[in-house]
Amino acid sequence: MHTSFTIETQGAGLYEVTPVVARWVAAQALHEAALTLFVRHTSCSLTIQENADPEVQTDLAAFFHRLVPPGSDPSMSWLTHTYEGPDDMPGHIKAALLPTSIAIPTLRGQMTLGTWQGIYLFEHRDRPHRREVVAMLR
Amino acid sequence: MHTSFTIETQGAGLYEVTPVVARWVAAQALHEAALTLFVRHTSCSLTIQENADPEVQTDLAAFFHRLVPPGSDPSMSWLTHTYEGPDDMPGHIKAALLPTSIAIPTLRGQMTLGTWQGIYLFEHRDRPHRREVVAMLR
Amino acid sequence: MHTSFTIETQGAGLYEVTPVVARWVAAQALHEAALTLFVRHTSCSLTIQENADPEVQTDLAAFFHRLVPPGSDPSMSWLTHTYEGPDDMPGHIKAALLPTSIAIPTLRGQMTLGTWQGIYLFEHRDRPHRREVVAMLR
């Protein structure tokens, strides 16, 4: 059983997708399965993070922005792939540091997420993008 | 087939879980399968690393401590999510940089780990924690 | 269904494996499945990245070389696991920062990769190595 989810992003940051994924998993009504989530892009990521305090998401995005600043930052003057904009190559680097695919066991139609775990699309580009996440349940 | 493993951690660092996982996989006696391991927390991780020399694990923990110092470090004064302690938000950041889920093919009841590969729970918090890892074999 | 791919690396950098993986997946002719790729080593990684402009791969390798310099770099003088050479422990650290396993849904015998996504073995060691990637399709 498979599907795909579309997420319209409005700039860099984390976008929670837990509810829509949980609804789809529940609808498949499998007793026991493994869910694979896969994002079909190279400048955004998937991540599982605390979903209680929004400050966690803000700090996460801030950390990665500091670790991999935009190409316009003097510390990034060594970049060679720059013609797609200052947020493009840093986006690819963040996409290497964060997951493209996530696997989550499911039991009785529910993901085995911990109490504080939420699933996020982590957008690394500044402009709006239409992102696609493929889900496979087996 | 699924189970869960509980790991009692006593501070930040790597805790090997290879033997307990290997025993469970062997007991399922599947000819060919894919093992999914998933940690149900947002301030610890799973990692596959060299299990020969303990210095590798020491250096790994040291690297991540340097890359993401505690919130009490002046270089981390930009953090906003600080009320759960100086090791909390850095723990979430490390949990984003390291895997929450790992997938390992198994053959004839054995994981296809390389000679030097061990599976570790990587604890990012200082105080003792009880961690749960869900395993699914399909 | 499983197989393994051998990649002969000639120094640090990215080696594309998309075509050989795609051919094997197509030959299995499964209508719908999940592909698990797993690298059996602790000083190289798997990554999914843009395959259009080779500068992306150059910049990626350069970023990780800057983030985790060789042990001979003064900034890495804190390393303790050094007897296997200056590129060994940094290789383990990069292997922690990048994926050991990747899961990709497949449909009608094709991986659901996005237009610009390629699969790479990311070698972290300087000398030539023979690397093995296990593939499982279920």
Side-chain angles (χ1 to χ4, degrees):
Chain A
M1 286 140 172
H2 73 274
T3 190
S4 80
F5 305 106
T6 301
I7 300 106
E8 309 271 357
T9 62
Q10 309 292 330
L14 284 84
Y15 297 80
E16 186 158 19
V17 296
T18 322
V20 64
V21 176
R23 273 195 298 273
W24 179 74
V25 169
Q28 309 314 306
L30 293 188
H31 182 67
E32 183 180 311
L35 172 68
T36 301
L37 295 174
F38 178 79
V39 67
R40 303 183 70 216
H41 310 277
T42 59
S43 56
C44 65
S45 306
L46 293 170
T47 188
I48 290 182
Q49 269 298 327
E50 185 182 303
N51 63 359
D53 182 347
E55 288 180 343
V56 170
Q57 289 120 59
T58 307
D59 283 356
L60 266 182
F63 173 82
F64 282 93
H65 190 79
R66 284 166 172 269
L67 185 64
V68 196
S72 48
D73 191 282
S75 70
M76 297 296 277
S77 59
W78 53 272
L79 287 179
T80 63
H81 180 79
T82 53
Y83 67 87
E84 292 185 67
D87 64 335
D88 181 68
M89 191 59 223
H92 292 312
I93 295 172
K94 291 173 191 167
L97 287 165
L98 288 153
T100 296
S101 68
I102 289 178
I104 306 173
T106 71
L107 292 175
R108 293 171 294 280
Q110 291 201 311
M111 295 183 280
T112 56
L113 294 173
T115 311
W116 309 109
Q117 286 182 313
I119 310 169
Y120 295 85
L121 181 105
F122 197 156
E123 175 61 70
H124 306 312
R125 302 301 304 268
D126 295 333
R127 293 199 195 155
H129 278 78
R130 191 181 170 87
R131 302 304 199 173
E132 190 183 354
V133 175
V134 180
M136 175 75 68
L137 197 60
R138 293 190 70 78
Chain B
M1 286 142 175
H2 73 275
T3 191
S4 80
F5 305 106
T6 300
I7 299 106
E8 309 271 357
T9 62
Q10 309 292 330
L14 285 85
Y15 297 79
E16 185 158 19
V17 296
T18 322
V20 64
V21 176
R23 274 194 297 274
W24 178 76
V25 169
Q28 309 315 306
L30 293 189
H31 182 67
E32 184 180 311
L35 171 69
T36 300
L37 295 174
F38 178 79
V39 67
R40 304 184 68 215
H41 310 277
T42 59
S43 57
C44 65
S45 305
L46 294 170
T47 187
I48 291 183
Q49 268 298 327
E50 185 183 300
N51 63 357
D53 182 347
E55 288 181 343
V56 170
Q57 288 121 59
T58 307
D59 283 357
L60 266 181
F63 172 82
F64 282 94
H65 190 79
R66 285 166 172 269
L67 185 64
V68 196
S72 48
D73 191 282
S75 70
M76 297 296 278
S77 59
W78 54 271
L79 286 179
T80 63
H81 179 79
T82 54
Y83 66 87
E84 292 184 67
D87 63 336
D88 181 68
M89 191 59 222
H92 292 312
I93 295 172
K94 291 173 191 168
L97 286 166
L98 288 151
T100 295
S101 68
I102 289 180
I104 307 174
T106 71
L107 292 176
R108 294 171 294 280
Q110 291 202 310
M111 295 183 280
T112 56
L113 293 173
T115 311
W116 308 110
Q117 286 183 313
I119 310 170
Y120 295 86
L121 181 104
F122 198 156
E123 175 61 70
H124 307 312
R125 300 301 304 267
D126 294 334
R127 293 200 194 155
H129 278 78
R130 191 182 170 84
R131 302 305 199 172
E132 190 183 355
V133 174
V134 181
M136 175 74 68
L137 197 60
R138 295 191 69 78
Chain C
M1 285 141 175
H2 73 276
T3 192
S4 80
F5 305 106
T6 300
I7 299 105
E8 309 271 358
T9 62
Q10 309 292 331
L14 285 86
Y15 298 79
E16 185 158 18
V17 297
T18 321
V20 65
V21 176
R23 273 194 298 273
W24 179 75
V25 169
Q28 310 315 306
L30 293 188
H31 182 67
E32 184 179 310
L35 171 69
T36 300
L37 296 174
F38 178 79
V39 67
R40 304 184 68 215
H41 310 277
T42 59
S43 56
C44 64
S45 306
L46 293 170
T47 187
I48 290 182
Q49 268 298 327
E50 185 182 301
N51 63 359
D53 182 347
E55 289 181 342
V56 170
Q57 289 120 59
T58 307
D59 284 355
L60 267 182
F63 173 82
F64 282 93
H65 190 80
R66 285 167 171 269
L67 184 64
V68 196
S72 49
D73 191 283
S75 70
M76 298 296 278
S77 59
W78 53 271
L79 286 179
T80 63
H81 179 80
T82 54
Y83 66 87
E84 292 185 67
D87 63 335
D88 180 69
M89 190 60 221
H92 292 312
I93 295 172
K94 291 173 191 167
L97 287 165
L98 288 152
T100 296
S101 68
I102 289 179
I104 307 173
T106 71
L107 292 175
R108 292 172 294 281
Q110 292 202 309
M111 295 183 280
T112 55
L113 294 173
T115 312
W116 310 109
Q117 286 183 313
I119 309 169
Y120 294 85
L121 180 105
F122 197 157
E123 176 61 70
H124 306 313
R125 301 302 303 269
D126 294 335
R127 293 198 196 157
H129 278 79
R130 190 180 170 88
R131 303 303 200 174
E132 190 183 354
V133 174
V134 180
M136 176 74 68
L137 197 60
R138 294 191 68 79

